[in-house]
Amino acid sequence: MSDLDPPIRGLRLVLLLATGTAFVLAILGSFANGRLGTTLAGLSVAVVVAVPLLRVLAVGAHWWRIGDRRFAAVAIALLAVVGSGAIIAML
């Protein structure tokens, strides 16, 4: 019997789609001119930044669901630190 947690259903597909989306947006942003190119490149960066945070959220929810509250608390704390940093950066 394995002591490993089962994989989170659907996470692999979401990560593949996010990677493809970031790649396509980066390519389109590279070839588009002006404001459109800047917007597409910015969206590509936003996807690259958001995906790991969404993954931490998914893993934290998974840990909470299986009853491992310590790891879930660490995931919540990590998201709080990143969120606090984002708020401070906007000031």
Side-chain angles (χ1 to χ4, degrees):
M1 178 170 213
S2 175
D3 289 337
L4 298 176
D5 291 339
I8 300 172
R9 215 173 332 127
L11 185 60
R12 180 183 169 122
L13 177 62
V14 170
L15 294 175
L16 286 172
L17 288 173
T19 302
T21 301
F23 179 73
V24 169
L25 287 170
I27 294 296
L28 292 175
S30 297
F31 290 109
N33 290 328
R35 190 175 207 141
L36 177 63
T38 303
T39 302
L40 291 173
L43 287 173
S44 174
V45 171
V47 169
V48 169
V49 169
V51 167
L53 297 175
L54 292 174
R55 185 172 184 168
V56 169
L57 181 66
V59 171
H62 173 73
W63 283 329
W64 185 270
R65 196 170 33 256
I66 65 171
D68 197 343
R69 304 291 190 244
R70 288 178 299 161
F71 282 128
V74 170
I76 291 168
L78 177 63
L79 291 173
V81 167
V82 173
S84 300
I87 290 170
I88 291 170
M90 285 190 263
L91 296 177

